[in-house]
């Protein structure tokens, strides 16, 4: 009888028969985590020389009639927008992933549907991520903010900078979490379907995941599919099968994407009831080590698409930024959510913790374009990745020897600091707690910059 690891490896091998780029977002609900929190994570795959800095935007109140310029269109501004942190494509309005002051975290994925594609006169999926964070106090509220904007303005536009890379136009799926639940929102043009997740684990990649079991949907979702001839009747309707276009040239390899989703789910289920931010980071760094598709010469020379994706002759994208959002109900607002962020490929970089409702990200963390800059932490991190890729097998262990120690140190100090901060908050000394957290953030960032 074959050992279990051999059986799993054969499954992975079958799904990675063609290289393709993909993002992945995954979540563990309260019954799946070690501390009864909700933890959402994502790797964002983008063109290799496109900076994805980290920005923090303060809460704001806006006058009636105010507008906001998104990437391609201008829309009415909300009366109030919430403080948030986002992983921002440097040239765009929106984010690949982010988290707000109320503990809402969102990540999105490119998906390809049979619905027609527009160009230049709608919202990008990245815009919708940011708008959901700015306007939603809960995962459900953020989901409906995004749905209403989607239906009104549509989703369209080049998702890659004109003249700098290729052209990309796709529809989007989203994983939206808060400290108590998560929602999966999948879209095709202006049509949408949503599923509530209250327990267990869930993952999305560049392939639709919702079949027949949804909780809310566009009122014309099923009727439209029948009219278009994508399904015979309401009884046979299956959203993923009927709306997904798995034969387009630019839809990549759907089998590859399904295997990536299955793999992150398998990792989460393996650690069920014991999932932590550290185990989420481990998933984000995976190159399928220990399987039959483990890279032969190093992560940068893989024949397959892996969760921690490296650009190569076979694939033009890489993991440009990662998030682990730790969302904890029952905590003071200052401590309720922690944003662990890594720049560039997470395997050769370090996750750093950030807080909202008082503390601030260092201003230079928002710097970076498509040109190297020594004052941009994103570019410092990406330079480490580029150097490591020259001989990944030889250099990666040395890099991890530094950054693993840094992460463990931050987590150990985090536990002590949060206990102290909670006592300060309970004693009415929140300003002092904010100061302590700010010193913690600044110290972690200074240490990482020095290590870079």
């Amino acid at each position: 009888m074959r050992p279990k690891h051999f059986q799993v490896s054969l499954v992975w091998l079958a799904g990675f028969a063609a290289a393709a780029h993909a993002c992945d977002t995954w979540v563990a609900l309260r019954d799946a985590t070690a501390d009864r929190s909700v933890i959402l994570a994502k790797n964002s795959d983008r063109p290799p020389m496109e900076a994805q800095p980290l920005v923090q935007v303060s809460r704001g109140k806006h006058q009636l009639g105010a507008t906001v310029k998104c990437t391609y269109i201008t829309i009415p501004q909300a009366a109030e927008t919430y403080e948030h942190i986002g992983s921002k494509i440097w040239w765009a309005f929106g984010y690949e992933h982010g988290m707000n002051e109320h503990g809402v975290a969102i990540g999105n994925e490119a998906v390809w549907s049979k619905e027609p594609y527009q160009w230049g006169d709608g919202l990008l999926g990245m815009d919708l991520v940011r708008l959901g964070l700015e306007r939603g106090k809960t995962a459900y509220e953020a989901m409906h903010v995004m749905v209403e904007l989607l239906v009104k303005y549509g989703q369209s536009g080049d998702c890659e900078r004109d003249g700098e890379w290729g052209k990309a136009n796709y529809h989007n799926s989203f994983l939206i979490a808060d400290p108590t639940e998560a929602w999966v929102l999948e879209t095709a043009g202006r049509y949408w379907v949503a599923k509530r997740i209250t327990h267990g684990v869930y993952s999305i990649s560049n392939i639709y995941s919702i079949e027949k079991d949804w909780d809310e949907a566009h009122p014309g979702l099923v009727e439209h599919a029948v009219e278009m001839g994508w399904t015979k009747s309401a009884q046979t309707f299956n959203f993923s099968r009927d709306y997904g276009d798995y034969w387009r040239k630019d839809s990549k390899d759907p089998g590859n994407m399904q295997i990536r989703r299955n793999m992150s789910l398998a990792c989460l289920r393996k650690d069920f009831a014991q999932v932590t931010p550290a185990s989420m980071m481990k998933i984000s760094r995976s190159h399928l080590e220990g399987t039959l598709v483990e890279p032969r010469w190093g992560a940068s020379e893989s024949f397959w698409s892996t969760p921690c994706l490296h650009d190569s002759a076979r694939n033009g994208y890489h993991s440009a930024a990662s998030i682990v959002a730790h969302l904890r109900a029952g905590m003071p607002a200052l401590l309720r959510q922690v944003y662990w962020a890594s720049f560039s490929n997470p395997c050769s970089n370090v996750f750093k913790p950030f807080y909202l409702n008082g503390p601030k990200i260092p201003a230079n963390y928002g710097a970076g374009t498509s040109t190297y800059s020594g004052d941009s932490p994103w570019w410092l991190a990406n330079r480490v990745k580029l150097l490591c890729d020259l001989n990944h097998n030889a250099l990666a262990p040395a890099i991890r020897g530094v950054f693993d120690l840094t992460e463990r140190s931050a987590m150990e100090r985090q536990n002590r600091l949060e206990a102290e901060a909670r006592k300060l908050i309970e004693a009415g000394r929140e300003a002092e707690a904010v100061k302590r957290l700010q010193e913690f953030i600044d110290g972690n960032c200074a240490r990482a910059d020095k290590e870079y």
Side-chain angles (χ1 to χ4, degrees):
M1 184 173 180
R2 290 170 176 166
K4 289 183 179 180
H5 74 271
F6 182 75
Q7 296 172 20
V8 172
S9 298
L10 287 179
V11 173
W12 279 343
L13 179 62
F16 283 81
H21 71 264
C23 297
D24 295 290
T25 308
W26 57 98
V27 67
L29 279 295
R30 291 177 293 176
D31 59 332
T33 60
D35 63 355
R36 301 287 295 173
S37 66
V38 172
I39 310 176
L40 178 141
K42 180 187 173 181
N43 278 0
S44 164
D45 295 348
R46 294 291 301 177
M49 296 300 155
E50 176 189 78
Q52 194 174 136
L54 194 64
V55 300
Q56 185 170 6
V57 179
S58 300
R59 186 184 314 151
K61 292 186 180 295
H62 309 281
Q63 294 181 346
L64 183 66
T67 59
V68 56
K69 175 66 171 65
C70 301
T71 303
Y72 293 117
I73 63 172
T74 298
I75 66 172
Q77 181 60 282
E80 182 179 19
T81 51
Y82 306 128
E83 182 186 3
H84 61 273
I85 298 172
S87 189
K88 185 179 185 296
I89 305 298
W90 74 268
W91 54 267
F93 168 79
Y95 308 143
E96 281 282 292
H97 45 253
M99 182 185 79
N100 74 15
E101 63 177 289
H102 299 290
V104 177
I106 309 175
N108 80 306
E109 311 291 326
V111 288
W112 289 269
S113 80
K114 296 168 186 169
E115 275 295 292
Y117 289 75
Q118 302 169 252
W119 283 93
D121 58 352
L123 295 167
L124 295 181
M126 295 173 285
D127 295 341
L128 289 169
V129 169
R130 176 170 178 172
L131 293 165
L133 292 170
E134 288 186 342
R135 304 180 184 196
K137 285 186 176 181
T138 65
Y140 183 74
E141 187 173 296
M143 185 265 288
H144 272 281
V145 165
M146 296 159 72
V147 162
E148 290 169 11
L149 293 169
L150 172 77
V151 172
K152 185 171 184 178
Y153 299 105
Q155 54 182 321
S156 65
D158 194 348
C159 301
E160 295 177 1
R161 186 168 172 81
D162 187 35
E164 195 167 279
W165 197 243
K167 280 187 172 292
N169 194 346
Y170 46 74
H171 295 153
N172 290 267
S173 66
F174 306 88
L175 195 48
I176 311 164
D178 65 27
T180 62
E181 66 178 13
W183 281 83
V184 185
L185 170 63
E186 300 193 327
T187 71
R190 284 177 164 85
Y191 292 91
W192 61 276
V193 62
K195 179 178 179 178
R196 185 186 182 207
I197 311 296
T198 59
H199 62 278
V201 297
Y202 204 89
S203 177
I204 60 174
S205 189
N206 298 92
I207 188 168
Y208 291 113
S209 67
I210 298 175
E211 305 275 346
K212 295 174 174 285
D213 54 337
W214 65 82
D215 292 285
E216 298 186 18
H218 186 289
L221 181 79
V222 179
E223 182 181 4
H224 179 65
V226 174
E227 290 176 351
M228 296 299 293
W230 299 336
T231 190
K232 293 181 179 180
S233 67
Q235 289 69 38
T236 62
F237 178 74
N238 178 305
F239 175 76
S240 293
R241 183 192 62 204
D242 298 330
Y243 271 86
D245 188 346
Y246 305 112
W247 307 110
R248 288 168 56 100
K249 285 185 178 180
D250 59 352
S251 68
K252 311 308 170 191
D253 175 12
N256 198 319
M257 302 306 109
Q258 182 62 47
I259 293 298
R260 286 181 63 130
R261 177 171 182 257
N262 289 349
M263 193 211 66
S264 57
L265 282 172
C267 291
L268 290 168
R269 288 166 180 158
K270 179 182 176 182
D271 290 337
F272 197 87
Q274 298 299 322
V275 175
T276 65
S279 59
M280 291 295 215
M281 295 172 194
K282 184 176 180 181
I283 296 173
S284 76
R285 292 184 168 122
S286 172
H287 306 114
L288 305 179
E289 290 87 352
T291 76
L292 290 179
V293 294
E294 180 175 5
R296 183 176 178 184
W297 298 294
S300 60
E301 299 177 272
S302 175
F303 297 129
W304 324 107
S305 176
T306 61
C308 183
L309 185 66
H310 292 248
D311 49 301
S312 67
R314 288 176 57 82
N315 176 71
Y317 277 38
H318 81 126
S319 296
S322 304
I323 179 180
V324 173
H326 196 187
L327 314 174
R328 304 175 293 189
M331 295 282 277
L334 180 61
L335 303 174
R336 179 176 51 220
Q337 54 278 313
V338 186
Y339 189 117
W340 290 88
S342 173
F343 289 140
S344 192
N345 280 78
C347 69
S348 53
N349 277 287
V350 59
F351 281 90
K352 297 166 288 293
F354 299 96
Y355 295 81
L356 290 167
N357 294 296
K360 302 297 180 185
I361 295 173
N364 66 329
Y365 270 61
T369 65
S370 292
T371 302
Y372 175 80
S373 173
D375 62 358
S376 164
W378 188 91
W379 270 108
L380 293 176
N382 200 50
R383 188 182 183 199
V384 173
K385 175 262 180 190
L386 291 170
L387 292 170
C388 183
D389 279 357
L390 296 174
N391 191 342
H392 191 274
N393 285 353
L395 298 175
I399 291 173
R400 290 265 44 95
V402 174
F403 287 150
D404 285 348
L405 180 62
T406 300
E407 282 179 359
R408 286 197 299 269
S409 175
M411 290 178 180
E412 290 169 0
R413 288 181 290 123
Q414 175 197 28
N415 291 334
R416 295 194 300 269
L417 180 62
E418 287 186 353
E420 294 170 5
R422 192 159 189 170
K423 290 180 181 178
L424 290 170
I425 293 168
E426 291 169 354
R429 299 159 60 189
E430 184 164 334
E432 189 174 343
V434 169
K435 181 181 178 182
R436 297 288 304 280
L437 288 172
Q438 187 66 62
E439 292 170 348
F440 177 60
I441 291 169
D442 293 343
N444 290 328
C445 291
R447 176 174 176 172
D449 291 347
K450 182 178 180 180
E451 290 169 344
Y452 287 142

